[in-house]
Amino acid sequence: MSDNSELDKKNVRVRYAPSPTGFLHIGNAQSALFNYLFARHYHGTMVLRIEDTDLKRNVPHGEDSQIDNLHWLGIDWDEGPDKPNPKYAPYHQSERQALYHRYVVKLLDEGLAYKDYATEDELTEMRDQQRAAGEAPHYDGRWYGRSVEDQEAAEAKGLKPSIRLHMPPDHVYEWDDIIKGHVAFNSDNMGGDFIIEKSNGMPTYNFAVVIDDYLMDITDVLRGDDHIANTPKQVAVYEALGIKMPNFGHITLIYNPKTRKKLSKRDKKTLQFISQYKNQGYLSEAIFNFIAFLGWSPVGEDEIFTRQELIERYDPSRMSKSPAYFDQQKLDWINAEYIKKLSLDDMTDRILELVDEGQTDVAKQVQALNLPDLREFVYQVSKIYQTEVHMLTEVMDKVVFYANILQSDIDYSQLSEFDHDDVVSVLKSFEKHVKDLGADVADPDFKGMIKAVGADTGVKGRALYFPLNVAFTGNSSAPEINEILRLYSISTIVDLLDKAIANV
């Protein structure tokens, strides 16, 4: 049994081992992040290992997608396919088959594993009979202890065996979980002898992962709580081979707060993949900060931390045993806080990067704009809305709106609550001041002009600002209308005023 009551934190080695079967899901990112924090907090080594033995489920560029999105999140590693350590390489399971088979042979030679020639039809019939008898489906050990003659007879029929590990009856497999505390399973309740090598010679997950972790000197295994049923089988392999097992920690899963169930890919209202968050204009720093709170909490009430601060504060004893609920409002708030901290140049660069990648409709719309200086336009819109938005795509929406303002359908009925003559006089007075500007005025004093309109017309407060807000933004409430006016040419301002006057 593993004892981590006083964890030895010298030479820590952890691993994140994704399968290249799709994009980086937020649940996988959670596991990667906690392994990263664990390794960095204890000045240890993080290993990236690719579990690609399920060849049918692997997708093209799945591995590249995982790596790219991990890098975007700010998660790096010390060893992996791109950073091989000759002592531990290779890092793809598909390249380690001979290593696994060596240990399978060892277990066969010691009588701890055996060949099973049962066909799929036989196994299906066995499970059906067990269900009919009210039993939980389990392998009944029908090939355990069979004679060499029986095996040769099966071979003569062309049957290829799988290899099963023999489970001793009424044996307790237990460990002290870093997060959950003491956990124990009885061998009688684990589904019987389980396959460690398939008939095609490929190892099963629960066998390959043990050999990999052992040969790569992994000291601590942090992974999702959905692996909790796999761990006793892996403990059984460790015991059968007589090798030291690592410390295990099972991270709480992420739950939907409305359904109170595990976050599912069917939850269409929740973004599931890290690439989606990136494309929608969430900042990598904000996502990192947010995920760190899905299953862990620091001492104190603070919620905004840099990556380095999270590394320093990380304490596995504060990992949560309770479900982690995905709070969209909290994520949006965290992202907004990070956006506020950006320099305008950095904010503009990040928006333009999203535009260049063109992964969303609004990014494609910005690409299609015919602006003489897109960067400057994005910069000025960012300056206006930096403290108001939750995602960078919201700034992009504003860029599209203001760039196409003359084609926008503006609802002028919003101004019906004000005196018609006052509205018209305000719009006409402002138009006069605009037309009086010299052609060489590079920096018009729009704030002063609005003040002059008030003096000219005697209209003040809401009655003064609302007509201008609606004329230039389509909304009765607008932040810094004088800054918004700087987005337009003088001719556009005049056209917007003429349009408003004609429609009031």
Side-chain angles (χ1 to χ4, degrees):
M1 184 179 72
S2 166
D3 179 8
N4 57 51
S5 57
E6 293 184 8
L7 290 173
D8 177 10
K9 289 309 162 206
K10 294 179 181 178
N11 304 316
V12 160
R13 287 178 61 84
V14 301
R15 47 72 166 180
Y16 172 61
S19 299
T21 55
F23 300 114
L24 181 62
H25 187 268
I26 190 168
N28 300 124
Q30 178 202 38
S31 294
L33 185 143
F34 283 121
N35 276 283
Y36 172 82
L37 290 179
F38 197 99
R40 296 293 172 258
H41 180 79
Y42 291 111
H43 307 288
T45 299
M46 179 158 173
V47 177
L48 177 69
R49 189 172 72 220
I50 307 299
E51 297 183 346
D52 60 346
T53 55
D54 193 346
L55 302 178
K56 292 181 180 179
R57 293 184 61 224
N58 295 344
V59 300
H61 310 298
E63 181 179 333
D64 292 339
S65 172
Q66 290 272 340
I67 288 174
D68 290 345
N69 283 291
L70 287 170
H71 279 151
W72 179 78
L73 268 178
I75 296 175
D76 60 0
W77 45 92
D78 307 291
E79 294 176 21
D82 55 339
K83 300 178 181 179
N85 180 336
K87 180 180 178 181
Y88 300 111
Y91 293 88
H92 288 88
Q93 282 191 336
S94 59
E95 300 174 15
R96 299 170 63 84
Q97 191 171 349
L99 293 173
Y100 307 133
H101 187 69
R102 186 187 311 160
Y103 287 91
V104 169
V105 171
K106 174 176 166 43
L107 291 172
L108 284 170
D109 290 345
E110 294 177 358
L112 298 173
Y114 60 94
K115 296 179 179 180
D116 170 30
Y117 292 89
T119 65
E120 192 54 47
D121 287 342
E122 289 173 342
L123 294 174
T124 299
E125 182 183 6
M126 176 193 73
R127 288 189 288 264
D128 289 344
Q129 290 175 351
Q130 290 168 347
R131 289 192 186 96
E135 300 175 13
H138 61 279
Y139 181 70
D140 59 8
R142 60 182 61 188
W143 273 92
Y144 178 64
R146 295 282 284 269
S147 66
V148 173
E149 290 76 17
D150 285 346
Q151 295 180 36
E152 290 175 346
E155 295 274 358
K157 293 179 182 178
L159 297 176
K160 292 185 178 181
S162 58
I163 311 300
R164 290 183 183 267
L165 183 73
H166 178 58
M167 304 285 281
D170 193 25
H171 181 77
V172 176
Y173 294 108
E174 56 189 332
W175 69 94
D176 289 323
D177 199 275
I178 297 171
I179 299 167
K180 301 175 75 69
H182 187 72
V183 183
F185 285 78
N186 190 291
S187 60
D188 291 348
N189 303 317
M190 290 169 53
D193 299 343
F194 61 92
I195 296 173
I196 58 175
E197 186 177 273
K198 303 173 189 175
S199 58
N200 63 4
M202 293 298 285
T204 58
Y205 167 78
N206 282 318
F207 188 75
V209 73
V210 168
I211 305 306
D212 287 339
D213 287 343
Y214 170 64
L215 293 178
M216 292 183 178
D217 291 330
I218 300 302
T219 60
D220 301 87
V221 173
L222 278 78
R223 58 192 177 193
D225 199 30
D226 49 344
H227 281 281
I228 195 74
N230 288 323
T231 304
K233 292 182 178 181
Q234 292 168 25
V235 173
V237 175
Y238 279 107
E239 289 191 8
L241 289 171
I243 57 180
K244 182 181 179 182
M245 66 183 188
N247 300 305
F248 291 104
H250 291 84
I251 305 164
T252 181
L253 302 180
I254 304 171
Y255 283 70
N256 183 319
K258 293 182 179 179
T259 64
R260 315 296 283 186
K261 295 180 180 179
K262 188 180 82 166
L263 193 63
S264 165
K265 292 177 183 178
R266 293 186 294 273
D267 294 327
K268 299 302 182 183
K269 293 184 179 180
T270 302
L271 298 181
Q272 298 285 314
F273 300 100
I274 297 303
S275 57
Q276 293 176 307
Y277 289 101
K278 177 186 177 183
N279 295 336
Q280 288 297 325
Y282 287 90
L283 306 189
S284 58
E285 307 95 305
I287 297 295
F288 190 104
N289 192 155
F290 175 73
I291 294 176
F293 277 75
L294 293 175
W296 173 82
S297 62
V299 176
E301 302 296 324
D302 294 340
E303 295 182 292
I304 303 295
F305 294 95
T306 66
R307 185 166 68 245
Q308 188 56 42
E309 287 171 340
L310 287 167
I311 289 171
E312 292 170 1
R313 294 280 198 100
Y314 178 72
D315 178 356
S317 70
R318 294 189 63 82
M319 296 286 287
S320 175
K321 298 179 180 66
S322 304
Y325 287 100
F326 188 96
D327 187 336
Q328 185 67 52
Q329 288 184 323
K330 175 64 69 66
L331 172 56
D332 289 345
W333 174 78
I334 290 175
N335 202 55
E337 291 300 303
Y338 275 91
I339 288 175
K340 290 174 186 175
K341 294 179 180 181
L342 293 176
S343 70
L344 282 171
D345 279 325
D346 188 9
M347 185 172 175
T348 303
D349 287 341
R350 296 191 193 212
I351 292 171
L352 291 175
E353 182 180 342
L354 293 176
V355 171
D356 288 342
E357 292 174 355
Q359 295 296 312
T360 57
D361 289 341
V362 69
K364 294 172 183 175
Q365 291 168 13
V366 177
Q367 286 180 348
L369 295 177
N370 184 23
L371 293 172
D373 190 342
L374 177 60
R375 179 183 176 80
E376 178 62 21
F377 199 84
V378 171
Y379 182 96
Q380 294 300 332
V381 175
S382 298
K383 181 179 178 182
I384 295 167
Y385 288 99
Q386 182 174 23
T387 60
E388 296 196 7
V389 297
H390 296 95
M391 299 179 293
L392 295 181
T393 47
E394 293 175 331
V395 178
M396 294 156 68
D397 285 328
K398 296 294 184 184
V399 167
V400 172
F401 175 78
Y402 287 122
N404 295 318
I405 187 68
L406 289 173
Q407 288 75 47
S408 298
D409 291 325
I410 294 176
D411 178 14
Y412 297 102
S413 67
Q414 301 172 71
L415 298 175
S416 60
E417 66 173 291
F418 299 100
D419 181 84
H420 177 270
D421 292 340
D422 284 349
V423 170
V424 173
S425 63
V426 165
L427 296 174
K428 287 186 173 181
S429 175
F430 193 83
E431 184 173 34
K432 176 180 181 302
H433 282 283
V434 171
K435 289 180 176 180
D436 286 346
L437 287 171
D440 58 347
V441 177
D443 188 21
D445 180 12
F446 291 116
K447 198 170 187 178
M449 291 166 63
I450 295 173
K451 187 176 181 181
V453 168
D456 293 344
T457 62
V459 179
K460 299 177 182 178
R462 293 171 70 247
L464 171 63
Y465 278 92
F466 272 42
L468 298 175
N469 289 344
V470 171
F472 298 123
T473 73
N475 197 312
S476 59
S477 175
E480 301 297 331
I481 187 64
N482 50 304
E483 295 295 333
I484 291 174
L485 285 163
R486 296 182 189 283
L487 300 173
Y488 305 138
S489 65
I490 295 300
S491 62
T492 297
I493 292 174
V494 172
D495 288 345
L496 287 171
L497 287 166
D498 285 344
K499 184 180 177 184
I501 291 167
N503 285 279
V504 173

